[in-house]
Amino acid sequence: ILYISKFVQPQSNEQSSDNDLVPFVTAKSETEANDVITETEVAKKFKENNGATGELNPTHRYKTVHLIDKDSSTNTSIIPKGWCLDMDDTPQHVGLDREPPSSIRHYNHEGYEKCLGGKTVVFVGDSRVRYQFMHLASFLVSKRFMRCQDVHSLKGKSGLLPDPECYLIDHKHHKQMSKESWNSWYKKSTAMLESSGENNTKQQDSLCDCYRPHPFKPSQTYENRFIKRSTPHGEVNLIYLQNFENIIKINSEYPPFLSYFPTSSSSKRCDAGECGQGNRTNAFEGNLNATLENILPLLNATHAFVNLGWNHLYNLKAQSEFSCVISEFVQNHPGIEVNLISHISTSFGQDKSKPPPNGFAKALKCASDGVIDRYGIANNVPTNWYWDNQHVLSILNKEFNHQLIETICPLEN
């Protein structure tokens, strides 16, 4: 008999709504209110400060205003169409359907914590969803967006080394994949996503119900991750459930079937990289539909970002059909927001795919405003923004997570 204990989500001491995030900075005077930086001044300041970092893009409490160098949008040898550089030489996605703006706003680290505080966000999907999850969890713990070889390939910076956090989304270039390396990566990455706060208390905790055999067998590969982070805005819970072939399996010794911190000495929870067959009992095994119905409520999920699995098995048509399953689920579970997360378009390698011509949301049978459209953002970017023919590096993962956070907590127009 399996005794189910819910993955409890403590209430924040600070009762606040997402609307607290929406208002932008209030001007203190009429002069400040009219202090608008013109496009010409942006370009001038960019040229004067080329190469400088840190203070060029003004940061407010919850948001950073990225001043845009509009001239960079016309130089496709540096940056692809639909993108611009900000004054930190960081690529910002501005889209193809408008003139590049003078500035663009995104939440900063405190804004991310404010948005996610008191929420449980569940990711369900393949390895490309996993790396987006890892990028988000890394940003929370390191308080900075990682800069990998894709960033350093811009403007002749190829000699710079990637940040250590890049190991979380690109372990292929750190060591040759072998029998030990995947399970070693599970262990090391789990440790890297932990951090301590004041008085040596854990600020961010990390669990990984993980194991991969050699040679690789999808049916015997497990990766379910659980992140718990304390913030001034309430506890953040991030969860990733592996889904390659529309089948999710969850260990009885991990949430939601055992509490995050088991109190019983009889717990036989396996360590990261050691949760293979013979060292686990699956308390749940089901497809994505069953996971929505049976697991999300047990996890006390507030938001979920999901896809059916590998792109070559579940193409755009399959995603379109599943959008109706999500629509029905949301109607029956008004406390859980579920968003379909698209695959990633690539124009090279074996997994070639192109974005829907009118956008991902419009291609779905049951349209929703809450989809995460990674097709459009990744379309026509350089191959060196990927670390293989399917998986993206830091630039795109950052943009994907901006889109995700701004879906949960919309920015004011």
Side-chain angles (χ1 to χ4, degrees):
I1 300 174
L2 295 175
Y3 293 90
I4 300 174
S5 60
K6 285 193 176 184
F7 188 36
V8 178
Q9 175 186 301
Q11 296 296 314
S12 168
N13 292 329
E14 177 185 348
Q15 296 298 321
S16 61
S17 68
D18 294 346
N19 293 331
D20 293 340
L21 286 166
V22 173
F24 193 46
V25 177
T26 302
K28 296 181 180 178
S29 67
E30 185 176 353
T31 301
E32 287 180 336
N34 295 324
D35 186 17
V36 178
I37 300 176
T38 67
E39 296 168 2
T40 303
E41 288 172 325
V42 169
K44 181 180 178 182
K45 288 189 177 186
F46 181 88
K47 291 171 184 175
E48 290 175 350
N49 296 283
N50 190 26
T53 59
E55 300 299 323
L56 294 177
N57 292 312
T59 298
H60 304 290
R61 183 174 182 187
Y62 296 128
K63 307 178 187 75
T64 297
V65 181
H66 301 271
L67 304 179
I68 297 298
D69 171 25
K70 293 182 68 175
D71 291 343
S72 65
S73 67
T74 63
N75 190 346
T76 54
S77 65
I78 296 176
I79 203 81
K81 294 181 77 171
W83 293 75
C84 289
L85 294 175
D86 67 15
M87 293 178 68
D88 282 339
D89 285 349
T90 300
Q92 301 289 338
H93 183 255
V94 296
L96 294 169
D97 57 350
R98 62 170 178 164
E99 282 290 315
S102 299
S103 64
I104 191 168
R105 292 173 296 143
H106 289 301
Y107 289 119
N108 55 29
H109 183 268
E110 189 171 355
Y112 268 58
E113 286 196 330
K114 175 72 170 175
C115 176
L116 296 172
K119 297 181 177 68
T120 295
V121 181
V122 182
F123 294 69
V124 186
D126 61 6
S127 56
R128 294 182 284 194
V129 174
R130 170 218 294 145
Y131 291 125
Q132 183 175 344
F133 168 90
M134 299 294 279
H135 183 275
L136 174 58
S138 171
F139 176 58
L140 292 179
V141 77
S142 68
K143 302 182 180 181
R144 66 175 186 176
F145 286 113
M146 64 180 74
R147 290 178 167 233
C148 303
Q149 57 264 36
D150 52 345
V151 176
H152 298 324
S153 68
L154 299 168
K155 306 195 84 170
K157 297 182 178 181
S158 57
L160 298 176
L161 293 176
D163 291 338
E165 298 96 319
C166 296
Y167 177 69
L168 295 169
I169 65 168
D170 174 19
H171 42 103
K172 180 179 179 181
H173 291 107
H174 288 260
K175 63 192 301 184
Q176 190 67 31
M177 301 310 290
S178 64
K179 180 178 180 180
E180 294 78 22
S181 64
W182 264 102
N183 292 314
S184 175
W185 180 75
Y186 289 144
K187 291 178 182 292
K188 292 180 180 178
S189 60
T190 300
M192 288 177 68
L193 294 177
E194 295 183 341
S195 67
S196 297
E198 296 180 358
N199 301 320
N200 291 323
T201 58
K202 278 284 182 71
Q203 184 175 22
Q204 183 162 309
D205 236 301
S206 174
L207 298 177
C208 188
D209 170 23
C210 302
Y211 176 79
R212 177 175 290 218
H214 183 77
F216 171 59
K217 295 181 180 179
S219 62
Q220 297 177 21
T221 298
Y222 308 93
E223 185 177 357
N224 303 312
R225 292 180 177 268
F226 306 86
I227 300 289
K228 187 181 289 288
R229 180 174 181 81
S230 298
T231 80
H233 312 289
E235 188 173 83
V236 175
N237 286 290
L238 300 180
I239 299 165
Y240 166 73
L241 303 177
Q242 175 187 282
N243 185 22
F244 292 155
E245 300 175 311
N246 197 18
I247 186 74
I248 295 96
K249 302 175 184 178
I250 303 178
N251 195 332
S252 63
E253 295 291 322
Y254 279 83
F257 301 102
L258 192 67
S259 66
Y260 197 99
F261 302 108
T263 56
S264 172
S265 59
S266 61
S267 173
K268 299 178 181 178
R269 178 177 291 171
C270 51
D271 292 331
E274 300 176 9
C275 298
Q277 291 185 331
N279 200 23
R280 66 182 296 119
T281 299
N282 289 329
F284 172 81
E285 187 170 334
N287 62 17
L288 182 54
N289 194 1
T291 302
L292 298 181
E293 292 289 346
N294 297 293
I295 298 301
L296 291 192
L298 291 180
L299 290 170
N300 286 340
T302 57
H303 299 77
F305 298 89
V306 306
N307 73 24
L308 288 164
W310 283 331
N311 188 34
H312 68 278
L313 297 178
Y314 305 99
N315 57 17
L316 183 58
K317 182 179 179 181
Q319 296 176 74
S320 177
E321 294 290 337
F322 195 76
S323 67
C324 297
V325 175
I326 290 177
S327 179
E328 182 178 353
F329 175 84
V330 171
Q331 290 179 11
N332 295 330
H333 300 80
I336 306 176
E337 295 183 19
V338 181
N339 302 272
L340 192 59
I341 186 167
S342 80
H343 291 294
I344 300 172
S345 60
T346 58
S347 57
F348 55 92
Q350 295 180 346
D351 188 21
K352 295 181 180 180
S353 58
K354 295 182 179 180
N358 297 316
F360 181 55
K362 292 183 178 179
L364 301 179
K365 186 174 180 179
C366 295
S368 170
D369 294 332
V371 301
I372 302 299
D373 183 1
R374 301 187 298 179
Y375 281 118
I377 294 176
N379 190 32
N380 295 324
V381 302
T383 57
N384 60 10
W385 288 17
Y386 288 70
W387 58 265
D388 64 7
N389 64 2
Q390 298 184 59
H391 300 99
V392 305
L393 286 162
S394 55
I395 295 173
L396 287 171
N397 271 311
K398 182 182 72 171
E399 288 295 330
F400 296 161
N401 278 321
H402 280 327
Q403 183 184 177
L404 184 145
I405 293 296
E406 290 160 20
T407 297
I408 299 174
C409 301
L411 282 165
E412 184 183 44
N413 292 329

